[in-house]
């Protein structure tokens, strides 16, 4: 206790000497923090500084006995010696308190730990996976979802999350697409901003906000052939125009930390990449927070063939701007020697430590290291009605109606005989998705439970087939059933003579996420067979898909009348799905990622380049950019999503056909609800820059709005564009707007319906 008091006393003195009048504005507060950081740094020995740059994974039941040998014992000793600045995967007030107590009471300076955790989609109350949330296009709801996760985790001792994941990806084979916002840099940037703000709030020192971490910097979503951790090789234009924008938006939102990535980028591992971390992030973008490595990524530079051993890996990483070492142990082992030998300038260590201390000060950890450990709040918040309501709201907004023919949906609430079939229909675990480390297993509301909340219809439920062979987990391969069809017959019998059959098929939550790349985008296992077998006896099928990536569901699209994309929607999954099926919530989600017809089309995305041979020159000629065995079109384009209402777009007007200099231009049109239900439509505005110094995509999303209309109601919608909407990273290696001709498109998906022309002059 003595040392902790000494440590705290020191900070109080610092506070007194540093407080410059009232902290009335941000600049004063910044200055005050800078002074405090400098004062603390001046007290630190080199090993203590290096300790701040060292992060360990949680290692033993902190509440249990003190570890005596092995890795855990070493970590424990390091904690007591002031050689650890952060822990991850430690959670719960009791555990966090114990750890924090060790560092504040037993180390010389008592510098508190920053406690990190992956809140990709919630803490204990699980929200929809991020790809699903992105499908809502509802930035307020997405921000709120992050805020709910932050508040719940913050009450449980956590003050830093490794989220949001903002990697743009065009490859559905990559399992981590479930963690991101999809394929589009504009939508991805808006969502990155909303999520960072949601986690961090307006006051980072408040006890319901935590530091965010934008990841993975950079290019991780472009791993070759969609295989996780694989090589990334992209050109300047893709890097700047597609991969960087969400990170720029996160920095705009004042994100406190950034995580680098496992991949190499154009021959240099991101972790040792000075261009990415120093030149771009810290110099060009003036990022003030700190960079944490990805798990063991400093060490992995040896496998990449970039460092010969751990010592060189540490040298390369710190020189390139990786401030904190997650679980490689190389900084704590080698950095002191590297500084002593002159291989690493101590100024770089100082810079890293200052960045880390700054975030700790901003979180208020120096004022009260235990502020995030509040047992009462922890009890009240976790699983609270308020949080359940928030994730239910988010889940409904995330659902995308892919197809609805013959008026099968919404279902009437009474008098129907419903068959409910499929391995995911009564699954209470899979909807929790992949990153739900703190959630209780089997804590989601299943579709069966959700439907039972509507007692007016008779439900016959049969699983039909098992999807997995063993209970899936976060760390092991999910074993898929490919042989056991024993439940088929019973399911087919149950499907006969029903008015409607709801089939709940897709991927298990642990089939997507880290390390879960797939070469097939089909329904896994025997589900396609089951679907076709049921279809033979009853064609009135509503297919409810649960999945973490776009799937190739061509057969279903051709044959099944109604398809609902329900992703992995989290704790309240079943209620959200039932409310959509019964029309108590009119779906408004739109796909944030293109659905291919066939995995061979991947990477497939709406903002592709035209190529030199975009169209067939004459019947049957082969010399154009196409496949010989399938067309180029996706099954469902980016931005696609239906409603129980129907929307008509018309009357496009451009306020100018020449946009000049700093001027503005309005693109207006009339949206009419020609359906029977009140509904919401996400209206989308795209541009095409016809000729530029580097080729531009055939369409680029530039704005969107959510418009609610009653049946028969019309509204004029206006998008305002200016030269910033036309800017891109040009052949001159800078962001600029080039003069020339443009097309503007408007519609309810990237397959837009209205089109106009204009030019831009400087
Ligand atoms: C992942 C990161 C994650 C980290 C800590 C890594 O394997 O790539 O996204 O934040 O583990 O859990």
């Amino acid at each position: 206790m003595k040392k902790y008091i000494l440590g705290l006393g020191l900070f109080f003195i610092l506070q007194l000497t540093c407080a410059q009048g009232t902290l009335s504005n941000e600049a004063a507060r910044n200055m005050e923090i800078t002074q405090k950081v400098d004062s603390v740094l001046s007290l630190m020995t080199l090993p203590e500084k290096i300790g701040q740059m060292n992060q360990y994974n949680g290692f033993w039941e902190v509440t249990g006995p003190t570890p005596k040998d092995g890795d855990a014992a070493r970590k424990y000793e390091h904690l007591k010696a002031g050689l650890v600045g952060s822990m991850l995967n430690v959670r719960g007030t009791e555990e966090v308190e114990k750890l924090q107590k060790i560092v504040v009471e037993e180390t010389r300076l008592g510098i508190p730990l920053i406690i990190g955790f992956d809140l990709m989609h919630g803490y204990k109350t699980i929200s929809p996976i991020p790809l699903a949330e992105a499908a809502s296009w509802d930035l307020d709801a997405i921000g709120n979802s992050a805020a709910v996760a932050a508040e719940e985790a913050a009450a449980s001792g956590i003050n830093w999350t490794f989220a949001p994941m903002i990697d743009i990806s065009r490859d559905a084979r990559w399992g981590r697409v479930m963690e991101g916002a999809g394929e589009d840099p504009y939508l991805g940037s808006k969502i990155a901003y909303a999520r960072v703000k949601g986690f961090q709030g307006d006051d980072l020192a408040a006890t319901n906000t935590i530091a965010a971490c934008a990841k993975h910097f950079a290019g991780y979503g472009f791993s070759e052939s969609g295989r996780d951790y694989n090589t990334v090789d992209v050109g300047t234009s893709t890097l700047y125009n597609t991969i960087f924008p969400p990170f720029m938006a996160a920095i705009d939102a004042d994100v406190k930390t950034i995580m680098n990535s496992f991949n190499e980028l154009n021959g240099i591992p991101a972790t040792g990449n000075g261009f990415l971390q120093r030149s771009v992030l810290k110099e060009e973008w003036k990022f003030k927070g700190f960079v944490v490595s990805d798990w063991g990524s400093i060490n992995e530079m040896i496998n990449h063939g970039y460092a010969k051993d751990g010592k060189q890996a540490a040298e390369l990483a710190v020189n390139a701007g990786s401030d904190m070492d997650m679980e490689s142990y190389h900084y704590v082992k080698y950095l002191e020697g590297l500084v002593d030998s002159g291989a690493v300038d101590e100024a770089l260590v100082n810079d890293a430590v200052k960045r880390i201390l700054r975030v700790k000060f901003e979180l208020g950890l120096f004022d009260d290291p235990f502020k995030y450990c509040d047992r009462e709040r922890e009890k009240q918040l976790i699983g609270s009605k308020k949080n359940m309501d928030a994730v239910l709201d988010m889940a409904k907004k995330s659902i995308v109606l892919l197809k609805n023919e013959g008026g099968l949906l919404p279902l009437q609430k009474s008098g129907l005989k419903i068959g409910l079939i499929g391995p995911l229909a009564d699954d209470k675990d899979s909807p929790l998705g992949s990153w739900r480390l703190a959630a209780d297993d089997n804590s989601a509301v299943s579709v069966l439970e959700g439907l039972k909340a509507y007692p007016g219809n008779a439900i016959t439920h049969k699983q039909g087939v098992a999807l997995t062979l063993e209970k899936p987990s976060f760390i092991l391969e999910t074993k898929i059933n490919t042989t056991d069809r024993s439940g088929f017959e019973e399911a087919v019998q149950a499907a006969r003579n029903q008015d409607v059959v709801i089939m709940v098929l897709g991927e298990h939550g642990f089939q997507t996420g880290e390390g879960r790349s797939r070469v097939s985008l089909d329904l896994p296992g025997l589900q396609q067979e089951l679907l076709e077998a049921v279809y033979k006896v009853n064609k009135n099928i509503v297919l409810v898909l649960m999945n973490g990536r776009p799937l190739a569901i061509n057969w279903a699209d051709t044959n099944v009348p109604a398809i609902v994309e329900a992703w992995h929607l989290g704790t309240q999954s079943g209620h959200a799905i039932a409310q959509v099926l019964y029309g108590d919530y009119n779906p408004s989600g739109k796909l944030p990622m293109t659905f291919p017809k066939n995995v061979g089309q991947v990477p497939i995305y709406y903002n592709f380049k035209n190529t030199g041979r975009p169209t067939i020159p004459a019947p049957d000629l082969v010399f154009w950019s196409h496949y010989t065995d399938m067309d180029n079109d996706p099954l469902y384009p980016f931005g696609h999503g239906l409603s129980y209402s129907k929307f008509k777009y018309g009357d496009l007007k451009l306020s100018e056909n020449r946009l000049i200099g700093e001027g503005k231009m309005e693109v207006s049109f009339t949206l009419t609800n020609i359906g029977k239900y009140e509904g919401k439509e996400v209206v989308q505005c795209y541009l095409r820059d016809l000729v530029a110094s580097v080729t531009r995509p055939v369409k680029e999303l530039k704005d969107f709005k959510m418009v609610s209309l009653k049946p028969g109601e019309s509204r004029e919608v206006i998008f305002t564009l200016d030269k910033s909407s036309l800017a891109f990273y040009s052949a001159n290696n800078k962001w600029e707007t080039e003069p020339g001709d443009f097309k503007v498109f408007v519609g309810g998906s990237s397959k837009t319906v209205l089109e106009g022309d204009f030019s831009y002059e400087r």
Side-chain angles (χ1 to χ4, degrees):
M1 195 55 153
K2 197 169 122 253
K3 279 194 185 147
Y4 172 46
I5 293 171
L6 268 181
L8 268 188
L10 184 66
F11 296 126
F12 287 140
I13 294 165
L14 290 172
Q15 254 172 340
L16 283 178
T17 45
C18 297
Q20 317 226 316
T22 52
L23 303 179
S24 52
N25 60 41
E26 216 187 310
R29 171 137 177 87
N30 260 332
M31 207 210 288
E32 187 205 340
I33 289 184
T34 306
Q35 285 173 343
K36 286 181 178 176
V37 165
D38 288 345
S39 309
V40 175
L41 190 80
S42 70
L43 301 170
M44 295 171 84
T45 61
L46 181 58
E48 281 167 342
K49 291 178 192 171
I50 293 165
Q52 287 304 302
M53 299 166 72
N54 184 32
Q55 183 187 50
Y56 284 145
N57 184 45
F59 47 94
W60 85 100
E61 273 307 312
V62 183
T63 46
T66 306
K68 294 271 182 299
D69 3 77
D71 223 31
R74 183 178 44 77
K75 289 180 176 181
Y76 181 67
E77 288 311 316
H78 282 183
L79 269 174
K80 289 201 296 185
L83 295 179
V84 185
S86 172
M87 297 287 299
L88 78 147
N89 287 338
V90 178
R91 61 180 184 275
T93 50
E94 211 180 327
E95 287 206 14
V96 173
E97 251 171 30
K98 293 242 168 170
L99 282 177
Q100 204 67 289
K101 227 165 167 282
I102 295 174
V103 297
V104 296
E105 290 183 7
E106 298 190 39
T107 68
R108 193 177 74 93
L109 292 174
I111 300 176
L113 295 164
I114 178 168
I115 307 284
F117 195 81
D118 290 286
L119 298 173
M120 255 68 109
H121 44 108
Y123 180 59
K124 243 183 172 0
T125 311
I126 299 296
S127 51
I129 58 167
L131 187 66
E133 288 193 357
S136 72
W137 296 49
D138 187 328
L139 301 174
D140 291 341
I142 293 171
N144 186 49
S145 174
V148 166
E151 185 174 43
E152 217 181 80
S156 206
I158 289 154
N159 41 47
W160 176 26
T161 180
F162 309 120
M165 188 282 221
I166 57 176
D167 297 316
I168 297 296
S169 182
R170 300 160 164 174
D171 198 327
R173 293 170 297 182
W174 190 50
R176 300 196 80 165
V177 296
M178 57 78 58
E179 291 172 46
E183 74 191 32
D184 182 60
Y186 180 82
L187 180 63
S189 300
K190 294 281 175 197
I191 291 176
Y193 188 93
R195 286 200 167 121
V196 170
K197 286 282 181 204
F199 288 125
Q200 296 189 167
D202 297 326
D203 176 12
L204 198 61
T207 47
N208 60 350
T209 58
I210 59 177
C213 178
K215 67 187 190 185
H216 306 84
F217 198 64
Y220 189 33
F222 278 70
S223 59
E224 273 178 6
S225 58
R227 207 181 72 212
D228 207 1
Y229 317 123
N230 204 4
T231 304
V232 175
D233 208 317
V234 293
T236 308
S237 179
T238 303
L239 191 60
Y240 275 83
N241 288 306
T242 307
I243 294 171
F244 281 169
F247 288 94
M248 294 164 79
I251 288 171
D252 250 13
D254 197 22
V255 71
K256 296 297 169 190
T257 73
I258 300 238
M259 185 183 290
N260 61 33
S261 53
F262 289 129
N263 56 284
E264 67 159 71
L265 177 74
N266 304 338
I268 301 187
T271 306
N273 199 313
F275 159 73
L276 284 176
Q277 297 170 112
R278 288 221 183 270
S279 308
V280 174
L281 199 55
K282 292 176 178 171
E283 283 159 29
E284 198 182 320
W285 296 349
K286 310 212 174 334
F287 171 61
K288 295 278 176 289
F290 69 87
V291 178
V292 59
S293 82
D294 202 347
W295 183 296
S297 69
I298 295 178
N299 186 53
E300 287 179 14
M301 290 201 289
I302 301 171
N303 284 342
H304 278 290
Y306 192 67
K308 66 174 188 300
D309 54 22
K311 185 172 168 198
Q312 194 191 7
E315 178 186 336
L316 289 165
V318 81
N319 283 337
S322 296
D323 301 312
M324 187 181 274
D325 171 2
M326 183 194 284
E327 272 289 313
S328 275
Y329 315 171
H330 290 332
Y331 283 180
V332 79
K333 259 198 231 156
Y334 301 115
L335 214 43
E336 195 178 351
L338 287 165
V339 171
D340 287 345
S341 72
V344 171
D345 187 343
E346 190 167 351
L348 295 184
V349 171
N350 289 346
D351 177 63
V353 176
K354 283 205 243 178
R355 289 168 180 273
I356 294 164
L357 292 179
R358 164 169 285 277
V359 177
K360 291 186 177 183
F361 270 110
E362 288 177 343
L363 284 163
L365 285 168
F366 281 99
D367 298 327
D368 177 4
F370 301 99
K371 61 189 285 195
Y372 294 93
C373 297
D374 181 337
R375 284 181 172 65
E376 260 325 291
R377 248 175 355 112
E378 187 179 29
K379 244 187 269 149
Q380 274 164 20
L381 271 171
I382 292 181
S384 65
K385 163 114 178 36
K386 173 177 144 265
N387 290 3
M388 289 294 181
D389 288 350
V391 297
L392 173 60
D393 179 63
M394 189 70 249
K396 289 188 281 194
K397 290 175 171 157
S398 304
I399 292 174
V400 184
L401 182 61
L402 294 176
K403 181 179 176 191
N404 189 20
E405 275 173 12
L408 209 52
L409 292 176
L411 300 170
Q412 65 192 50
K413 288 186 182 153
S414 60
L416 284 182
K417 285 188 292 165
I418 298 179
L420 176 65
I421 290 171
L424 297 170
D426 192 24
D427 193 326
K428 293 173 64 60
D429 203 50
S430 178
L432 297 173
S434 196
W435 284 95
R436 32 78 170 240
L437 305 173
D440 296 328
D441 286 352
N442 295 308
S443 58
V445 176
S446 72
V447 178
L448 177 61
E449 288 169 328
L451 290 175
K452 280 185 177 161
Y454 291 83
N457 291 328
I459 297 175
T460 308
H461 166 240
K462 298 286 172 212
Q463 187 193 44
V465 72
L467 173 55
T468 56
L469 293 174
E470 292 157 13
K471 189 175 157 30
S473 82
F474 182 69
I475 54 170
L476 297 176
E477 290 291 355
T478 301
K479 304 256 177 354
I480 300 296
N481 168 30
T482 54
T483 51
D484 180 3
R485 296 173 176 79
S486 54
F488 266 47
E489 187 45 37
E490 181 181 65
V492 169
Q493 288 313 328
R496 278 181 212 278
N497 308 320
Q498 304 288 350
D499 298 307
V500 180
V501 181
I502 298 172
M503 295 202 66
V504 190
L505 309 177
E507 299 178 301
H508 190 277
F510 284 129
Q511 274 188 283
T512 54
E514 185 175 349
R516 269 85 176 183
S517 297
R518 293 181 61 199
V519 292
S520 159
L521 296 177
D522 297 343
L523 290 169
L526 301 169
Q527 297 180 100
Q528 180 66 32
E529 256 183 64
L530 178 70
L531 176 61
E532 292 183 31
V534 168
Y535 181 79
K536 281 197 185 116
V537 300
N538 195 332
K539 300 199 170 11
N540 272 349
I541 294 177
V542 175
L543 172 60
V544 174
L545 289 172
M546 283 188 183
N547 45 300
R549 53 157 70 81
L551 294 177
I553 47 156
N554 249 1
W555 185 92
D557 180 68
T558 310
N559 297 287
V560 171
I563 307 178
V564 175
E565 176 51 77
W567 316 103
H568 296 121
L569 290 177
T571 307
Q572 289 290 310
S573 185
H575 287 316
I577 294 167
Q579 289 176 29
V580 163
L581 294 180
Y582 279 109
D584 281 342
Y585 187 84
N586 189 354
S588 54
K590 301 276 188 182
L591 294 178
M593 226 179 146
T594 305
F595 274 45
K597 287 180 180 155
N598 187 294
V599 68
Q601 294 175 309
V602 170
I604 183 169
Y605 47 99
Y606 83 94
N607 44 359
F608 56 87
K609 303 287 186 74
N610 206 35
T611 80
R613 296 189 175 195
T615 47
I616 187 163
D620 291 337
L621 263 188
V622 292
F623 302 112
W624 66 292
S625 181
H626 76 300
Y627 302 102
T628 54
D629 49 0
M630 181 166 278
D631 61 52
N632 292 353
D633 292 335
L635 183 60
Y636 304 117
F638 171 85
H640 169 76
L642 306 173
S643 157
Y644 297 143
S645 328
K646 267 190 128 181
F647 297 98
K648 195 175 130 227
Y649 288 74
D651 205 14
L652 182 81
K653 286 195 205 97
L654 274 54
S655 63
E656 330 281 330
N657 49 24
R658 275 168 59 210
L659 182 59
I660 302 174
E662 306 297 314
K664 289 191 188 313
M665 185 181 93
E666 289 190 343
V667 178
S668 62
F669 63 97
T670 308
L671 184 75
T672 309
N673 181 349
I674 54 169
K676 290 189 298 203
Y677 301 87
E678 180 170 357
K680 261 189 306 189
E681 170 79 333
V682 178
V683 294
Q684 302 158 40
C685 177
Y686 296 82
L687 286 186
R688 177 170 181 186
D689 186 345
L690 294 181
V691 178
S693 63
V694 293
T695 59
R696 307 299 304 130
V698 294
K699 263 177 201 174
E700 287 179 277
L701 183 68
K702 290 294 170 181
D703 204 353
F704 60 89
K705 284 185 199 304
M706 206 168 287
V707 184
S708 277
L709 292 178
K710 297 205 162 54
E713 194 184 347
S714 283
R715 179 142 348 127
E716 188 190 32
V717 183
I718 302 174
F719 290 115
T720 306
L721 304 176
D722 61 22
K723 80 175 213 201
S724 69
S725 329
L726 318 181
F728 67 102
Y729 198 76
S730 75
N732 298 323
N733 290 328
K734 59 178 190 186
W735 292 93
E736 63 178 334
T737 303
E738 293 178 355
D741 294 330
F742 293 80
K743 277 191 180 298
V744 58
F745 310 88
V746 165
S749 81
S750 56
K751 224 171 142 198
T752 46
V753 289
L754 303 175
E755 188 177 321
D757 300 281
F758 68 97
S759 61
Y760 173 73
E761 289 166 32
R762 279 201 177 121

